[in-house]
Amino acid sequence: MSNPPRPNAPRVLGIAIPSPLRRLFDYRPCRDAPAGGWQPGLRVRVPFGRRQLVGVVIECRDESELPLARLKPVESCLDPAPLPADWLWLCRFTARYYQHALGDTLHQAMPVLLRQGRPLEARTRERWQVTPAGQATDPPGLSRAPRQAELLAMLRQHPHGLGAQAILAQSFTREQLRALADKGLIDCREEPLTAHWKRAGDHLLAEPALPLTREQATVLAALHERLDAYHPCLLEGVTGSGKTEVYLQLIEAVVGRGRQALVLVPEIGLTPQTLARFRQRFRVPVVALHSGLTDHERLDAWEAAASGRAPIVIGTRSAIFTPLARPGAIIVDEEHDGSFKQQDGLRYHARDLAVARAHHHGIPVVLGSATPSLESLSRARSGDWRHLQLTRRASRHAPARLELIDLRGRPRQGGLIPPVIEAIRETLGAGHQVLVFINRRGFAPTLACHACGWLAECDQCDARMTLHRQPPLLACHHCDRRRALPDTCPSCGSGDLRPLGSGTERTEETLAPLFPEVPVHRIDRDSTRRRDAFERVLTEVRRGEPCLLVGTQMLAKGHHLPHVTLVVVVNADAGLYASDFRALEQSAQLLVQVAGRAGRAAHPGRVLVQTLHGDDPHLKLLAEQGYAALASQLLEERRAAGLPPFRFLALLRLESPGEEEVNALGGQAADALRGWIRQRGLEVDCLGPVPAPMERRQNRYHLQLMLASSRRSALHEAGARLVAWLEAAPEARRVRWSLDIDPQTLS
């Protein structure tokens, strides 16, 4: 029999439903109220149309715009207590700032199993221990049970007990465990998969911290000054300067005070090595959150962090939504990296949310990079954030300078010119390793007809198809369309079809016969699709034997390759003249990051950069004076042009199979918004609509409308008005649209 409603129970629940609608939905409470009463943060199962959905209670009130009799009741409450308050605050902030539906934000920010209605509780495992009776010298009843005696002897060697899986792996059986338990010699207890760490009784470090350089010690002392307050710091350190050691010793101080640390890394490829280093250093539980986990593993890590059992949490972009019971510090490694920005759906930036979350909790946040984003660098140089610097490598070798190699008029093999091939030969002959960086996977960027000039283009995108040899096919890397290689030119019938340009496959194919005595490892998304394939290659490379690494930007981010002394950049020109205003900044960051893989240990490094534009002033400045000088010049150019970080942007993206539909809606939205801006007197520029840089993609036409303002509040007000207009416009229902606050790319 259900419980009667409580006297002070709310009559209406405002519930966030996973949908694109930016509103709450009113329901009546069900009669079975949770033990603590109705409150925000409880998950509930509700009827929604013909479906049943899991929503989150946001408001508890007594009135609704609809008559109470028309409201549907909640079917059931899924939680005995609300989801963590810090998580709910962050989701509400994210939805508000990024102009996104709250229900969909909550849905995206929680693990899959919670979305499906599973309980938020720790999974447990059995741990078997010897009882006082089992510690007796010669327990009775085992003379005729030798395997039980062996099992008891093994458990005696583990005073803290052993997990059931570890015992069964030694060829013992559950029947033997139960037999010993029936005799009172061992007992079993259930414990969470992530054991709880008690600060008072445990030693924190599994191995001693490394000695710090003078610069590292100065930086760490500055971070220790304000461990109990909001303290945003940009840690700008050259590659190999020991930023990770600073993170480790900062976390030691944070965890030593009984608090938790959240560490964000840009890519899943960096997670294994980061996890390994942290687990090697600390005795406390270190959990990971990234896309490579199963749904159960992700929920386990999420729950361990929310309960406080996991003092250290490491994860990629989405880990910013991990609840923490006792937040103590947030660290964002490689803060400049574009992968921290979600590019579809909920378009949040994990770095910016990390700063907002640290401010909310009143804790330090450290943003580390050798090539800081211009937004972060501007805030640090203006004094809004503390600017900490590491200018020297821990190995004492100076960072390798970029040597610009002119490609003009020189023959190439697989994209490489003879002097560069000779430098590779000398490096391998000295017993070192070489990294050849080319940011194009596949064999060649496209296939061309030498007779008429035909190019293999995608019939669904305004893009050329990439030629692959393993297996042989043409593939579009924008829509993933694939087709077989043609025997003859579709335009003129000629059989003279040739690859145009070089990709990782072609460079690998060129280098293998040139250097048959050393292995050639290709690392790109195609070669590392299998689970752990990337880590297996890195493990082999770290053995130190001479080899060639041919890779894309997967290799440029944070990997410690101590035996690489030569880096070759096959083509540095891709981002110099792109239409996106951030392209030059991002290209410079990538060049410096990949150059940082050279000379990180006992031997100095060398970086050869092939280019057709060696006289480009930006490229020369980067090569001669480094990233900081180029960043200063780019900031001045951004200030003069009125671009971020000196103005704030929002980008409306429209797409539809019909070109006329998307153009008509874009024009109407722009006209309506401009009239509203004039009426309100807001300092907001409305630019466009214009076709996207790739107008046709996946057989859909893409249009953009940009908002720009020097005041963030004015930009958000205009963005909210634009969203409201689109939600009310019948024409917008036939067009897919999204508003991107602080866009990181215009594509």
Side-chain angles (χ1 to χ4, degrees), residues 107-405:
H107 184 75
Q108 296 298 324
M110 69 173 71
V112 170
L113 294 180
L114 288 186
R115 301 175 199 170
Q116 296 172 354
R118 297 286 187 90
L120 177 60
E121 59 186 21
R123 285 195 296 165
T124 60
R125 60 185 171 190
E126 297 176 358
R127 180 169 289 273
W128 293 84
Q129 276 184 299
V130 177
T131 63
Q135 296 289 357
T137 306
D138 187 17
L142 295 185
S143 58
R144 297 183 180 180
R147 286 296 287 167
Q148 292 181 31
E150 291 175 19
L151 173 55
L152 181 62
M154 184 184 74
L155 287 174
R156 282 174 173 173
Q157 298 173 10
H158 296 83
H160 297 293
L162 275 178
Q165 293 300 320
I167 296 171
L168 298 177
Q170 299 298 318
S171 300
F172 294 104
T173 66
R174 286 199 172 274
E175 288 73 17
Q176 292 161 353
L177 284 168
R178 282 194 289 269
L180 288 177
D182 291 342
K183 294 169 184 172
L185 302 178
I186 64 173
D187 61 15
C188 177
R189 71 172 188 270
E190 296 283 332
E191 66 176 16
L193 292 179
T194 303
H196 190 74
W197 175 67
K198 297 178 181 178
R199 180 165 62 100
D202 291 351
H203 296 292
L204 179 57
L205 297 183
E207 65 176 18
L210 299 178
L212 299 178
T213 66
R214 182 175 298 179
E215 280 189 332
Q216 286 175 314
T218 301
V219 165
L220 189 62
L223 294 172
H224 281 168
E225 287 176 8
R226 298 177 61 189
L227 284 179
D228 292 317
Y230 172 59
H231 188 201
C233 299
L234 174 64
L235 176 54
E236 183 180 4
V238 298
T239 54
S241 59
K243 293 186 291 295
T244 303
E245 184 61 31
V246 173
Y247 301 156
L248 288 165
Q249 296 197 26
L250 172 64
I251 291 170
E252 179 186 347
V254 169
V255 177
R257 297 159 69 97
R259 296 191 171 186
Q260 294 169 280
L262 173 62
V263 182
L264 299 182
V265 294
E267 297 233 348
I268 187 175
L270 290 178
T271 308
Q273 72 169 30
T274 307
L275 269 175
R277 187 164 180 186
F278 276 62
R279 285 173 174 164
Q280 187 176 349
R281 173 69 60 89
F282 294 104
R283 292 185 187 276
V284 303
V286 179
V287 301
L289 279 150
H290 55 76
S291 60
L293 301 179
T294 66
D295 291 342
H296 283 289
E297 289 171 335
R298 178 176 284 271
L299 182 59
D300 290 339
W302 209 82
E303 190 279 333
S307 66
R309 288 197 315 280
I312 303 173
V313 180
I314 298 174
T316 49
R317 176 179 62 227
S318 61
I320 188 59
F321 292 106
T322 308
L324 300 174
R326 298 179 302 277
I330 301 176
I331 295 169
V332 183
D333 192 27
E334 309 292 355
E335 66 84 26
H336 68 278
D337 199 279
S339 64
F340 282 123
K341 173 74 172 181
Q342 174 74 22
Q343 296 295 355
D344 53 26
L346 173 59
R347 298 172 184 267
Y348 66 92
H349 200 304
R351 177 199 63 208
D352 297 343
L353 288 183
V355 175
R357 189 172 180 185
H359 184 269
H360 174 71
H361 291 306
I363 60 175
V365 56
V366 181
L367 311 176
S369 177
T371 53
S373 63
L374 296 189
E375 284 84 354
S376 297
L377 201 57
S378 175
R379 297 195 70 172
R381 291 182 178 181
S382 69
D384 290 345
W385 296 351
R386 191 163 187 173
H387 195 182
L388 305 173
Q389 293 179 285
L390 296 172
T391 60
R392 297 180 180 179
R393 282 186 161 181
S395 66
R396 307 297 181 187
H397 293 301
R401 289 283 185 183
L402 305 182
E403 300 177 37
L404 302 183
I405 308 296

Side-chain angles (χ1 to χ4, degrees), residues 445-689:
T446 195
L447 186 68
C449 175
H450 198 61
C452 72
W454 169 87
L455 296 173
E457 296 183 338
C458 179
D459 55 7
Q460 293 191 350
C461 306
D462 293 335
R464 293 168 185 165
M465 303 194 81
T466 301
L467 172 63
H468 288 256
R469 283 279 182 88
Q470 302 171 2
L473 52 80
L474 291 169
C476 176
H477 291 164
H478 299 281
C479 69
D480 208 28
R481 183 172 177 78
R482 296 164 183 259
R483 67 175 188 243
L485 297 178
D487 295 324
T488 59
C489 173
S491 178
C492 70
S494 169
D496 191 5
L497 298 176
R498 303 182 186 181
L500 195 65
S502 295
T504 50
E505 288 181 13
R506 189 173 194 180
T507 303
E508 176 192 29
E509 189 175 286
T510 300
L511 291 170
L514 287 174
F515 305 101
E517 69 280 3
V518 300
V520 180
H521 302 290
R522 176 167 59 90
I523 297 181
D524 55 27
R525 289 190 179 180
D526 297 317
S527 66
T528 58
R529 290 185 187 275
R530 292 185 178 179
R531 188 180 177 95
D532 299 330
F534 189 18
E535 197 60 28
R536 284 199 300 272
V537 172
L538 290 181
T539 299
E540 186 173 339
V541 169
R542 287 174 184 141
R543 292 174 185 163
E545 298 173 2
C547 69
L548 276 158
L549 283 164
V550 179
T552 60
Q553 60 181 330
M554 289 178 67
L555 276 175
K557 301 177 180 181
H559 295 289
H560 182 58
L561 305 171
H563 305 288
V564 170
T565 59
L566 175 65
V567 168
V568 175
V569 179
V570 174
N571 186 347
D573 302 328
L576 289 179
Y577 306 109
S579 58
D580 196 313
F581 71 90
R582 296 185 193 273
L584 185 54
E585 172 194 0
Q586 293 165 350
S587 293
Q589 289 167 341
L590 189 56
L591 280 175
V592 173
Q593 290 287 335
V594 74
R597 302 313 106 200
R600 294 173 67 93
H603 302 280
R606 188 182 181 196
V607 182
L608 305 180
V609 180
Q610 297 187 152
T611 175
L612 290 167
H613 303 281
D615 53 356
D616 181 272
H618 288 114
L619 195 56
K620 288 179 66 176
L621 182 61
L622 178 66
E624 294 170 2
Q625 299 184 40
Y627 179 79
L630 177 62
S632 296
Q633 180 168 323
L634 292 178
L635 280 170
E636 289 306 313
E637 293 175 3
R638 296 267 188 95
R639 186 190 300 273
L643 290 169
F646 304 102
R647 295 193 91 197
F648 306 107
L649 302 181
L651 189 67
L652 176 69
R653 292 182 172 91
L654 305 159
E655 58 175 283
S656 172
E659 185 176 10
E660 293 182 1
E661 284 181 341
V662 76
N663 286 335
L665 181 63
Q668 293 171 22
D671 292 342
L673 184 62
R674 288 191 181 102
W676 182 84
I677 289 173
R678 284 194 298 270
Q679 183 181 2
R680 299 275 297 178
L682 287 180
E683 297 178 5
V684 178
D685 293 329
C686 179
L687 310 173

